[in-house]
Amino acid sequence: MAEEKNQVPVSASTFADAPVSRLAPIQAALQLPLVQAIGTVFKLEAGETEIVTDYSDRTKKTKRAVYTVRVLSQKVALPLGTIIKVRIKDAESIITKEDNEKLLIGAVKPPIVAFDRLNHWFMNNQEGLNASNIRILDIPVEKAIQL
């Protein structure tokens, strides 16, 4: 066993930061746990309901809510403002078409949201996020950035 005094402490690299992967930014950041990679609260940009074919039964169609959100935490691996998509299987979007239009033109303040049971998947150089539920939080953006 090596003596403790001969061990060199591990420190951060002195090289410049590598750019975040544009093809799989979440996978690149997942050298850390998911919460440290993307955070826990997000700014909702848009939401829609998709009708998709069930992968296990091609004759069956299912609904899924798809939310476009921005990373809000400054204390995570992904840069502040990174856009990600989160899907919720067998659910309809809580955002209507009219709500999307209002968000787009800035007529309403984008809500701060959190997701329950957020999971990341990566396969064939593609990635995604799934969740079981979305919750709208009653906190200002300024506070959410500090979480």
Side-chain angles (χ1 to χ4, degrees):
M1 191 179 242
E3 293 180 34
E4 297 236 355
K5 66 180 181 180
N6 291 334
Q7 293 181 354
V8 177
V10 177
S11 62
S13 171
T14 57
F15 294 102
D17 291 335
V20 174
S21 168
R22 289 182 186 210
L23 295 176
I26 300 166
Q27 181 64 27
L30 273 181
Q31 304 305 328
L32 304 169
L34 186 59
V35 170
Q36 291 179 355
I38 65 171
T40 57
V41 295
F42 309 91
K43 183 172 106 176
L44 184 62
E45 296 288 323
E48 64 180 329
T49 301
E50 292 181 340
I51 307 294
V52 294
T53 303
D54 191 318
Y55 70 92
S56 61
D57 181 1
R58 296 285 181 202
T59 63
K60 184 179 175 187
K61 302 282 186 186
T62 61
K63 292 181 183 179
R64 69 177 175 199
V66 180
Y67 297 102
T68 303
V69 297
R70 286 190 183 267
V71 172
L72 278 184
S73 180
Q74 293 180 329
K75 302 174 185 177
V76 296
L78 288 180
L80 180 69
T82 300
I83 296 175
I84 58 178
K85 288 192 182 248
V86 179
R87 291 171 174 82
I88 300 176
K89 187 177 178 180
D90 297 326
E92 290 192 29
S93 174
I94 61 172
I95 303 297
T96 65
K97 184 177 179 180
E98 293 79 21
D99 291 338
N100 275 325
E101 291 172 0
K102 290 176 184 175
L103 284 168
L104 181 64
I105 63 171
V108 295
K109 195 172 184 177
I112 306 303
V113 298
F115 294 96
D116 297 332
R117 288 191 246 154
L118 193 59
N119 295 303
H120 174 259
W121 59 267
F122 181 79
M123 184 171 59
N124 296 331
N125 210 27
Q126 293 186 345
E127 67 180 350
L129 291 167
N130 296 329
S132 63
N133 190 36
I134 185 173
R135 292 176 286 121
I136 295 178
L137 306 176
D138 188 22
I139 59 172
V141 174
E142 296 77 19
K143 184 176 179 183
I145 288 175
Q146 296 173 358
L147 294 177

